[in-house]
């Protein structure tokens, strides 16, 4: 097992541990913090594969904007929720965990040779010069501006 | 720079499914809309992680980046709407628990 796979395993494992912290924590504030750290580690996996543009987008937009607003909301409405999980959900969770565990186990046992031994490198150098994608970026920025204007209108309407 | 192989893809998909499952469990056990928002962000995080193997196909790398870009912006917009809905819900009902939502549609 190479060092890259070990690093990927470590990043994915830490992300799963922090996501479990979201589920276990009773306080929404700490849950939102755990959620932000989980998303940062998900973005770190992108950085591991040299996909820095996606890393920047996730960290700055998804975590930096939406995640921080969520943390602020959770800190504002801070309370311990009453949670009730039905015991019937233990069955599908156990089945899913068994399938995932068996797939990993069967891969190491029944597949001695890798399916695709060739190494595939990521390429994002030609992304920005393509005009169609620049058009998509412009459309998405306009969409966000329109959404913000709609939210502002809803807020002003609710106040009046 | 790390390269991707079948082992890396397996690890990425397993982690993505695990985070998605945690998001589902958090959504099902949530009693207030803040926790619902957190669980939705977890689910979107799992989707972002599941997109990584798409970048391994050389001639699909640019399309994969476009898909990731659209996913990030669309999910951010969706969560922005949910955040504004939470604020409006608190303003109207003085309560953020899901039990306060009794009817659906536009009148929430």
């Amino acid at each position: 097992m190479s060092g890259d796979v070990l690093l990927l395993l470590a990043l994915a494992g830490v992300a799963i541990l922090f996501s479990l912290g979201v589920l276990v924590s009773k306080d929404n504030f700490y849950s939102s913090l755990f959620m932000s750290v989980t998303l940062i580690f998900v973005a770190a996996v992108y950085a591991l594969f040299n996909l820095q543009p996606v890393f920047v987008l996730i960290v700055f937009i998804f975590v930096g904007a939406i995640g921080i607003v969520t943390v602020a909301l959770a800190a504002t409405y801070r309370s311990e929720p009453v949670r009730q999980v039905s015991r019937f959900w233990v069955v599908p969770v156990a089945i899913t965990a068994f399938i995932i565990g068996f797939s990993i186990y069967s891969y190491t046992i029944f597949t001695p040779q890798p399916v695709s031994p060739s190494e595939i490198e990521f390429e994002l150098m030609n992304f920005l010069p393509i005009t169609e994608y620049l058009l998509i970026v412009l459309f998405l920025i306009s969409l966000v501006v329109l959404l913000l204007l709609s939210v502002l209108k809803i807020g002003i309407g609710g106040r009046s | 720079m790390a390269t991707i192989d079948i082992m890396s893809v397996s690890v990425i998909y397993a982690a993505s499914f695990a985070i998605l499952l945690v998001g589902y469990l958090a959504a099902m056990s949530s009693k207030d809309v803040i926790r619902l928002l957190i669980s939705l962000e977890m689910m979107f995080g799992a989707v972002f992680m599941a997109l990584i193997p798409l970048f391994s196909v050389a001639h699909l790398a640019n399309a994969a980046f476009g898909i990731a870009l659209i996913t990030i912006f669309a999910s951010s917009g969706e969560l922005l709407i949910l955040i504004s809905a939470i604020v409006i819900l608190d303003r109207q009902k003085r309560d953020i628990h899901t039990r306060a939502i009794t009817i659906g549609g536009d009148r929430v």
Side-chain angles (χ1 to χ4, degrees):
Chain A
M1 193 177 289
S2 65
D4 292 335
V5 177
L6 284 176
L7 190 57
L8 175 66
L9 273 171
L11 287 175
V14 173
I16 292 172
L17 282 179
F18 275 107
S19 70
L20 285 174
V22 173
L23 190 63
V24 171
S25 173
K26 292 182 178 179
D27 195 336
N28 280 341
F29 177 67
Y30 289 110
S31 291
S32 58
L33 286 179
F34 283 137
M35 179 269 302
S36 299
V37 177
T38 303
L39 288 175
I40 287 173
F41 274 98
V42 168
V45 177
Y46 275 96
L48 178 67
F49 290 111
N50 201 23
L51 297 166
Q52 278 87 7
V54 189
F55 170 80
V56 168
L57 280 172
I58 291 177
V59 169
F60 280 80
I61 294 179
F62 209 77
V63 181
I66 305 294
I68 295 303
V69 171
T70 307
V71 172
L73 267 180
T76 306
Y77 301 106
R78 197 170 181 182
S79 64
E80 289 192 2
V82 180
R83 286 182 295 155
Q84 291 177 347
V85 180
S86 173
R87 292 179 181 174
F88 293 110
W89 285 105
V90 172
V91 179
V93 168
I95 291 172
T96 309
F98 173 75
I99 290 172
I100 292 174
F102 182 74
S103 60
I104 295 172
Y105 172 76
S106 61
Y107 169 74
T108 56
I109 295 298
F110 300 115
T111 315
Q113 294 178 353
V115 176
S116 60
S118 61
E119 294 182 346
I120 302 168
E121 294 186 354
F122 295 108
E123 291 180 358
L124 278 181
M125 296 301 175
N126 299 324
F127 181 78
L128 284 178
I130 300 174
T131 53
E132 288 85 358
Y133 288 115
L134 281 176
L135 202 62
I136 285 178
V137 172
L138 284 176
F139 275 133
L140 288 172
I141 292 171
S142 333
L143 175 70
V144 170
V145 171
L146 280 175
L147 279 172
L148 285 170
L149 287 175
S150 305
V151 168
L152 197 63
K153 189 179 175 185
I154 290 171
I156 292 172
R159 189 177 298 169
S160 64
Chain B
M1 182 182 69
T3 54
I4 197 164
D5 54 3
I6 196 70
M7 183 66 187
S8 304
V9 171
S10 305
V11 170
I12 287 169
Y13 277 137
S16 171
F17 286 143
I19 294 173
L20 188 67
L21 198 63
V22 169
Y24 282 153
L25 287 173
M28 281 187 295
S29 63
S30 65
K31 293 295 177 188
D32 57 88
V33 284
I34 303 285
R35 205 166 185 84
L36 202 61
L37 175 68
I38 293 169
S39 60
L40 272 176
E41 293 191 32
M42 294 283 296
M43 292 178 207
F44 283 128
V47 170
F48 295 154
M49 201 160 190
L51 282 178
I52 295 174
L54 205 58
F55 287 88
S56 64
V57 184
H59 65 279
L60 283 180
N62 289 332
F65 189 38
I67 291 170
L69 202 64
I70 290 171
T71 309
I72 290 170
F73 275 83
S75 55
S76 299
E78 188 176 332
L79 293 171
L80 190 68
I81 295 295
L82 183 56
I83 288 167
S84 62
I86 290 171
V87 173
I88 293 169
L89 176 72
D90 176 54
R91 191 177 292 172
Q92 290 185 352
K93 302 277 187 182
R94 299 294 173 196
D95 193 3
I96 57 162
H97 291 92
T98 49
R99 64 170 181 270
I101 305 169
T102 54
I103 52 174
D106 297 330
R107 299 179 63 189
V108 173

